[in-house]
Amino acid sequence: MVKFNSPARFFSIKTNIILSQTDTTVGFLSQDAPKLSAVKSRPNTKPFIVVYKNFHALKKEHKRVPNSQKNRVRRSKKTTFIVKNHAFRVAEDVVDSSYLRQKEWTYSTSANESGKNFSRTFCEQKADIIIEDKRGLFEGQASKLYKINHKKIKRLR
């Protein structure tokens, strides 16, 4: 693969729905929460998980992580944290995509209708961009979910 420093072909696309295999399961990714809510047909008031591409991006955007829990957040894999009603996860890119590498963060949700199981036909109809590697798209286990503050940690899932 040849690497060079030039803007990606999709640099102007900001609000598309991407179907991709995430670190845990197949999911929809986007930086537009209302559009993601419309695709999933779920209420706009229900928040999404924000997935950061590395810990540095998390520190820039999400400054609420308690000092006593920063090491746990940095070292955890396939884990979602809730701090002051904001859900986030740090996930390295599992798919080698230049488009996803440019994004510091994205909203993430499972690729299915709200309350239903994974259906490839539904996902392909709703997604604007499909990123798939040799593993394909599969429904895996959901991430672990912890609610944390500066004194305690509680496992929710």
Side-chain angles (χ1 to χ4, degrees), residues 56-114:
H56 182 69
L58 170 70
K59 283 174 41 176
K60 275 198 307 191
E61 299 289 329
H62 198 285
K63 298 179 173 112
R64 297 182 189 103
V65 179
N67 285 334
S68 61
Q69 302 293 342
K70 284 184 180 179
N71 197 23
R72 180 186 310 273
V73 171
R74 186 174 60 249
R75 293 176 188 264
S76 65
K77 302 283 188 250
K78 298 181 181 181
T79 307
T80 301
F81 294 97
I82 300 173
V83 178
K84 296 184 180 176
N85 294 326
H86 294 283
F88 65 91
R89 185 169 77 228
V90 178
E92 299 293 325
D93 289 332
V94 293
V95 180
D96 188 28
S97 166
S98 61
Y99 181 65
L100 288 178
R101 272 194 303 258
Q102 287 186 338
K103 305 284 186 192
E104 292 283 319
W105 62 273
T106 57
Y107 292 114
S108 175
T109 184
S110 60
N112 54 18
E113 289 183 82
S114 190

Side-chain angles (χ1 to χ4, degrees), residues 7-18:
R9 291 173 285 184
F10 302 116
F11 71 94
S12 63
I13 301 173
K14 293 188 189 318
T15 61
N16 280 338
I17 303 297
I18 303 163

